[in-house]
Amino acid sequence: MEAIISEKQLAFGFEENENQVMISQMIRDLGEREISPHMMDWDESQEFPLALFKKLGELGLMGVLVPQEYGGSGFGYHEYVTAIAELSKIDGSIGLSMAAHNSLCTGHIMQFGNEAQKQKYLPRLATAEWIGAWGLTEPNTGSDAGNMKTVAREDGDHYIIDGAKNFITHGISGDIAVVIARTGEPGDSHGMTAFVVERGTPGFSGGRKENKLGMRASETAEMIFDNCRVPKENILGNVGEGFIQSLKVLDGGRISIAALSLGIAQGAYEAALQYSKEREQFNQSISKFQAISFKLADMATKIEAARLLTHRAADLKNQGKKVSKESAMAKYYASEVAVEAANEAVQIFGGYGFTKDYPVEKYYRDAKLCTIGEGTSEIQKLVISRSILK
């Protein structure tokens, strides 16, 4: 299959570094052996393939951004984008779970944990000894996180957490969760605090698992807190900083969803490109028809634009610069491109695209989550518009 860019090129004017080339090849090899033969079975049964993520941990893909001193790979955001995109080109579910583990749970502890917390948690997360979850969303507060109902009240050397989180990646299987709970008044951006809660803590349990349209091998479930006692030493940063921390975590997380979108779009495009060359109608391949070739041209152009936006945000993140607007732009555009590319791929496949015997129906189902997770497209536009109208 033809790639949109050569292996020695990288969007945003950079050459792809040796680490990126190595990561890409490693994931392709792993995908051929460990993912592609099983992914439709996982999709049908909604099985979360825990053993696969342990293997990803052994390869350093569950701690891509974690410094080597804490057992991670110590790479930057360009390598991270490459890893997510390559996994998602094979199976978006695997890319999603890998991204959530890295960007949200691990990323939050890495950015805001103290040295003792980093020493305790990051080595286990980076190797996938522990799978991470991150809890912000609730049944009645999605984008309106400031009015969350999950509360944490002080009790001596502990806080007692009560409430529920939903739509949580690894809500049941996660060994550790970073949870945002209200410690102040509703609507107060300084009234929420981040806690690390380990599985096995009394009062902390997994709830209902969601039955989803796509991304079905990535576990999405409730987390329930019933009189859950968490020691104060498990607070990340200071009391009242949880919501502000979360916004900063989501800035990086949106780059990961852009990369996820990029992989799905690329996978759908490559499948459609290959099929268009092989499928014949009226004694010629359908790629010869302008209606099809123009679809492919549009897909290739928009994917390349999404790639540029994503690596632009990655570059700013590597430099430690403010990235709110750029990560929102990348996430918004790349996710919409993923949906469009998957839709056009199904159209190019025709009737076969609507069957599970061909890959594009899965890209079609998986892509939609990219426009919803970690802030809908509408929320991204809100972030972008506020930034440019300041």
Side-chain angles (χ1 to χ4, degrees):
M1 295 182 189
E2 295 177 14
I4 292 177
I5 58 175
S6 74
E7 289 232 310
K8 285 298 174 188
Q9 291 174 309
L10 178 63
F12 198 54
F14 297 112
E15 285 201 347
E16 196 169 47
N17 63 45
E18 290 181 10
N19 291 329
Q20 288 172 277
V21 174
M22 177 269 293
I23 288 167
S24 295
Q25 191 57 55
M26 179 176 71
I27 290 173
R28 289 187 201 115
D29 293 343
L30 176 80
E32 198 173 313
R33 294 191 320 270
E34 307 283 352
I35 302 175
S36 296
H38 310 293
M39 65 184 191
M40 290 310 293
D41 290 334
W42 295 335
D43 184 76
E44 291 287 336
S45 64
Q46 296 201 84
E47 177 188 347
F48 176 60
L50 185 58
L52 173 67
F53 288 94
K54 300 295 185 183
K55 289 177 182 174
L56 293 180
E58 291 171 10
L59 294 173
L61 293 170
M62 297 298 270
V64 179
L65 300 166
V66 175
Q68 291 180 350
E69 64 192 278
Y70 301 113
S73 298
F75 290 138
Y77 268 78
H78 289 303
E79 289 90 350
Y80 183 44
V81 165
T82 298
I84 296 171
E86 286 292 342
L87 278 171
S88 305
K89 197 160 77 169
I90 305 165
D91 185 345
S93 299
I94 307 306
L96 174 62
S97 273
M98 178 269 202
H101 172 96
N102 275 277
S103 286
L104 299 180
C105 180
T106 307
H108 199 137
I109 294 170
M110 195 165 69
Q111 282 188 70
F112 299 105
N114 58 38
E115 187 58 31
Q117 291 166 336
K118 289 179 182 178
Q119 293 283 359
K120 182 177 181 181
Y121 298 122
L122 290 181
R124 290 171 164 176
L125 287 163
T127 57
E129 177 187 342
W130 281 3
I131 300 295
W134 192 74
L136 179 66
T137 302
E138 296 183 2
N140 295 309
T141 57
S143 301
D144 184 21
N147 282 310
M148 64 176 58
K149 300 292 190 288
T150 298
V151 296
R153 66 183 190 276
E154 193 173 4
D155 183 37
D157 293 333
H158 290 73
Y159 271 82
I160 298 175
I161 304 177
D162 284 291
K165 301 290 182 179
N166 78 330
F167 297 133
I168 307 303
T169 306
H170 315 142
I172 295 169
S173 297
D175 300 286
I176 181 176
V178 173
V179 181
I180 319 303
R182 188 159 54 78
T183 49
E185 294 302 312
D188 179 5
S189 62
H190 294 280
M192 288 159 275
T193 302
F195 299 86
V196 178
V197 187
E198 297 177 28
R199 189 70 63 182
T201 303
F204 174 34
S205 61
R208 185 174 72 95
K209 182 177 177 178
E210 302 295 341
N211 185 6
K212 299 176 297 182
L213 167 73
M215 303 289 197
R216 288 167 60 85
S218 178
E219 179 186 278
T220 306
E222 292 177 312
M223 292 194 303
I224 298 169
F225 302 90
D226 181 11
N227 205 38
C228 178
R229 290 176 62 83
V230 179
K232 286 183 176 178
E233 65 195 45
N234 284 29
I235 293 172
L236 291 169
N238 297 317
V239 171
E241 293 180 348
F243 185 66
I244 307 302
Q245 292 174 3
S246 296
L247 295 179
K248 292 177 181 175
V249 169
L250 286 170
D251 280 349
R254 285 166 181 157
I255 297 173
S256 70
I257 301 299
L260 173 70
S261 306
L262 193 58
I264 290 171
Q266 181 82 45
Y269 162 79
E270 289 182 4
L273 179 67
Q274 187 69 26
Y275 182 80
S276 74
K277 294 174 179 178
E278 296 170 352
R279 172 72 167 169
E280 291 196 354
Q281 294 285 276
F282 306 102
N283 301 315
Q284 59 182 327
S285 71
I286 63 172
S287 64
K288 296 288 200 302
F289 297 112
Q290 192 178 79
I292 301 299
S293 64
F294 277 18
K295 284 184 188 294
L296 293 166
D298 281 340
M299 291 161 76
T301 302
K302 290 176 181 180
I303 291 167
E304 189 64 9
R307 193 186 313 279
L308 283 159
L309 279 170
T310 304
H311 280 286
R312 162 70 170 156
D315 188 57
L316 289 172
K317 189 72 175 170
N318 278 346
Q319 295 179 57
K321 293 182 178 178
K322 186 172 173 58
V323 74
S324 301
K325 181 186 73 174
E326 288 79 7
S327 65
M329 284 178 166
K331 194 269 187 191
Y332 165 51
Y333 187 76
S335 65
E336 295 291 344
V337 166
V339 170
E340 184 180 340
N343 180 58
E344 292 288 44
V346 170
Q347 197 70 17
I348 289 169
F349 270 78
Y352 291 112
F354 207 65
T355 71
K356 291 183 183 291
D357 294 329
Y358 290 83
V360 290
E361 70 84 30
K362 185 174 184 302
Y363 291 124
Y364 185 80
R365 288 185 291 109
D366 287 348
K368 188 59 196 168
L369 186 274
C370 298
T371 69
I372 297 169
E374 294 195 34
T376 60
S377 290
E378 291 72 22
I379 288 293
Q380 306 313 313
K381 288 195 240 186
L382 187 66
V383 172
I384 296 161
S385 63
R386 282 179 176 173
S387 178
I388 62 179
L389 291 170
K390 249 180 204 177

